[in-house]
């Protein structure tokens, strides 16, 4: 509605204010105040295996795993932003008060006197695990070379592989303010687990990338052609799951995975030996898989493309 020329400016201003006020990042301050212990420490913020089905760690209380990114224009003046919050003058200096408050959320966490607060993360763990599971060896090698300091980052390589251009073309495009690397990033994050047009478009918007449906369709198709082992794995996993569910008591291998259905439980044995467990699985015979493109045929038909 903000882009609609027929909407009066006062209404647009109201909508802008409503969007600012709906920022969830500012609500974290309330959660923090309600969670801090009497000695000033925060405890119980992470739960091991909190996501029971996948076994992932889960954030608790104010969700420390989901802190908002600091916009670049605010990052350079964060000390000033914090000072304005402390002395109550934020509205005098910043039009978007809620954005400034959200950007400063990370600043509420500090180490005790004499200690250092360290932040760490697993770099593209979903992409690495998927490439290794599926046997997409060009991508595994790319990760190894990047970690050794001898290769390019995967978002650059991913775009280059999808569209048949050199990595230097992507690097030069980014330096000139282009979107090639950003597209490479979004496609790697959104498409690896059978995401298609909707997944790319949704994540693209979060990164400020707005493309029409045909452009997104072309990107999805290009990524799938550049990652044939991953696309094949989608079909293989689905077929193995169906076989296991329809043949109780039979262990069905699927690459590095094993699947089996006993009683009400469908289990997937991971390479680590741990199991993912799903109760009461059901099989729908109406599925229409495309063994040639791992679901891409639906995408092409939807967009009116020729295969």
């Amino acid at each position: 509605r903000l882009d609609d020329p027929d909407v009066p400016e006062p209404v647009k201003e109201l909508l802008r204010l409503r969007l600012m006020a709906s920022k969830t990042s500012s609500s974290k301050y309330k959660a923090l105040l309600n969670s801090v212990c009497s000695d000033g420490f925060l405890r119980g913020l992470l739960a091991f295996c909190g996501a029971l089905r996948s076994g992932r760690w889960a954030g608790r209380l104010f969700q420390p795993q989901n802190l908002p990114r600091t916009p670049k224009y605010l990052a350079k003046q964060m000390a000033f932003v914090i000072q304005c919050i402390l002395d109550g003058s934020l509205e005098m200096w910043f039009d978007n008060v809620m954005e400034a408050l959200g950007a400063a959320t990370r600043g509420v966490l500090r180490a005790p006197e004499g200690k250092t607060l360290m932040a760490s993360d697993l770099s593209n763990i979903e992409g690495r695990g998927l490439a290794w599971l599926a046997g997409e060896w060009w991508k595994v090698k790319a990760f190894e070379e990047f970690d050794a300091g001898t290769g390019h980052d995967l978002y650059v390589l991913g775009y280059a592989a999808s569209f048949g251009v050199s990595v230097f073309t992507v690097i030069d495009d980014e330096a000139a303010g282009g979107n090639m690397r950003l597209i490479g990033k979004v496609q790697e994050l959104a498409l690896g687990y059978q995401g298609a047009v909707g997944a790319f478009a949704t994540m693209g918007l979060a990164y400020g990338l707005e493309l029409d449906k045909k452009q997104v369709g072309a990107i999805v198709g290009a990524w799938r052609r550049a990652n044939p082992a991953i696309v094949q794995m989608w079909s293989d996993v689905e077929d193995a799951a169906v076989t296991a569910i329809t043949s109780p008591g039979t262990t069905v291998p699927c690459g590095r995975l094993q699947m089996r259905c006993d009683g009400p439980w469908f289990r997937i044995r991971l390479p680590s030996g741990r199991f993912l467990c799903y109760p009461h699985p059901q099989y729908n015979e109406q599925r229409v898989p495309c063994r040639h493109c791992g679901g891409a045929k639906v995408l092409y038909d939807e967009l009116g493309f020729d295969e």
Side-chain angles (χ1 to χ4, degrees):
R1 304 310 299 174
L2 289 173
D3 295 329
D4 188 342
D6 296 328
V7 175
E9 186 56 37
V11 177
K12 289 186 177 183
E13 178 65 13
L14 179 63
L15 291 174
R16 292 189 193 99
L17 292 170
R18 177 66 183 84
L19 287 172
M20 289 183 195
S22 66
K23 290 273 188 181
T24 58
S25 53
S26 59
S27 65
K28 287 186 179 291
Y29 289 103
K30 291 181 180 178
L32 281 162
L33 290 172
N34 292 331
S35 304
V36 69
C37 300
S38 58
D39 59 0
F41 278 82
L42 278 164
R43 297 181 174 86
L45 298 183
L46 295 172
F48 175 70
C49 210
L52 293 177
R53 186 164 291 172
S54 65
R56 277 187 163 192
W57 286 81
R60 294 290 186 260
L61 302 178
F62 91 118
Q63 290 293 347
Q65 295 177 311
N66 189 29
L67 296 175
R69 292 175 179 269
T70 301
K72 288 183 179 179
Y73 84 96
L74 286 174
K76 297 178 181 178
Q77 50 182 334
M78 190 47 60
F80 178 65
V81 172
I82 292 173
Q83 186 57 49
C84 289
I85 294 172
L86 294 175
D87 62 27
S89 64
L90 200 60
E91 290 182 78
M92 294 174 57
W93 298 98
F94 297 95
D95 293 330
N96 195 334
V97 173
M98 304 306 287
E99 183 178 48
L101 283 170
T105 307
R106 295 170 185 247
V108 303
L109 299 175
R110 54 172 293 184
E113 204 66 40
K115 304 291 184 180
T116 301
L117 182 65
M118 304 294 290
S120 64
D121 191 13
L122 295 170
S123 177
N124 199 342
I125 186 62
E126 292 92 348
R128 292 169 185 260
L130 180 61
W132 180 76
L133 273 176
E136 199 68 77
W137 299 120
W138 73 266
K139 189 166 281 188
V140 173
K141 183 180 179 182
F143 280 122
E144 291 175 346
E145 291 176 348
F146 179 72
D147 291 343
T150 59
H152 300 282
D153 87 70
L154 195 76
Y155 301 145
V156 170
L157 286 171
Y159 185 96
S162 292
F163 294 96
V165 301
S166 75
V167 293
F168 301 105
T169 299
V170 184
I171 293 170
D172 291 344
D173 175 78
E174 184 187 23
N179 286 330
M180 286 184 179
R181 183 184 180 278
L182 181 57
I183 291 173
K185 178 176 183 176
V186 174
Q187 68 179 11
E188 291 300 325
L189 296 177
L191 305 182
Y193 293 85
Q194 214 163 345
V197 175
F200 185 97
T202 300
M203 184 168 287
L205 284 175
Y207 284 94
L209 191 63
E210 296 188 40
L211 303 170
D212 64 41
K213 198 173 182 181
K214 282 209 173 248
Q215 288 175 307
V216 174
I219 291 169
V220 174
W223 185 90
R224 290 181 175 185
R225 287 190 292 273
N227 294 269
I230 290 175
V231 172
Q232 183 60 50
M233 182 184 174
W234 299 340
S235 295
D236 293 344
V237 167
E238 184 174 0
D239 289 344
V242 169
T243 301
I245 292 170
T246 54
S247 306
T250 302
T251 300
V252 182
C254 181
R256 299 176 185 271
L257 307 173
Q258 292 181 342
M259 305 186 190
R260 184 182 176 95
C261 195
D262 291 295
W265 291 99
F266 169 58
R267 294 181 174 88
I268 302 177
R269 186 183 189 277
L270 303 177
S272 66
R274 191 167 64 84
F275 287 85
L276 299 180
C277 302
Y278 302 87
H280 306 292
Q282 295 182 10
Y283 166 55
N284 178 8
E285 295 187 11
Q286 299 303 312
R287 71 190 186 112
V288 186
C290 179
R291 294 300 302 273
H292 303 290
C293 55
K297 185 178 188 310
V298 176
L299 170 75
Y300 284 114
D301 289 349
E302 191 179 291
L303 298 175
F305 290 164
D306 294 328
E307 282 204 73

